[in-house]
Amino acid sequence: MHLVMDNLNTHRQNSLCTAFGDDAGRELWSRFTVHYTPKHGSWLNPAENEASLWSRECLGRLRIGSLSELRRRTSLWNKDAHRRRRKITWRFTKEQARAVFRISQITTSRSEH
């Protein structure tokens, strides 16, 4: 199972071990492939966009009767999405972000990255 999570300190194996005991926590954690999101990025937008597109374009208002049919539909949708190579067009500009988050009022050291 793939998990996409932010870097919150509770999103670690240790939290499962604390909640379920060492053996059960390690066993449960071993079932996951964890993908941590960037610490400074807006990671939810791409994940939410992808889930929304899949829901609207692949499923629509259909009720899928079996896991094999869901997998088949998802595979076809995925192939088409990769073939079309769609991109996200961000509409929230740097200037808008500075205004919303009042960046000009915050003193920070400049990143060299």
Side-chain angles (χ1 to χ4, degrees):
M1 181 181 307
H2 290 262
L3 299 177
V4 178
M5 301 189 295
D6 62 15
N7 287 279
L8 188 64
N9 63 346
T10 59
H11 297 163
R12 304 278 187 259
Q13 179 178 344
N14 187 42
S15 295
L16 289 176
C17 292
T18 300
F20 298 105
D22 287 341
D23 292 337
R26 278 194 295 275
E27 170 64 26
L28 187 57
W29 188 260
S30 71
R31 297 173 64 192
F32 302 134
T33 300
V34 180
H35 305 277
Y36 289 105
T37 59
K39 292 180 181 178
H40 58 280
S42 178
W43 62 271
L44 268 179
N45 289 340
E48 288 174 337
N49 287 343
E50 185 79 9
S52 176
L53 285 171
W54 173 77
S55 176
R56 285 183 284 133
E57 294 178 354
C58 182
L59 303 179
R61 295 184 177 268
L62 299 175
R63 291 184 61 119
I64 307 300
S66 69
L67 182 58
S68 62
E69 178 64 10
L70 178 63
R71 285 182 173 150
R72 186 186 74 76
R73 287 178 171 276
T74 299
S75 178
L76 290 172
W77 177 83
N78 217 8
K79 286 177 186 173
D80 182 59
H82 286 292
R83 181 185 55 75
R84 289 192 281 157
R85 308 187 108 203
R86 289 188 289 200
K87 296 179 181 171
I88 295 174
T89 303
W90 298 105
R91 295 190 179 117
F92 193 55
T93 66
K94 183 170 50 172
E95 291 74 24
Q96 290 170 324
R98 289 181 186 284
V100 168
F101 298 113
R102 299 184 182 103
I103 298 297
S104 61
Q105 298 172 8
I106 300 172
T107 304
T108 61
S109 59
R110 196 135 183 86
S111 173
E112 304 211 6
H113 299 287

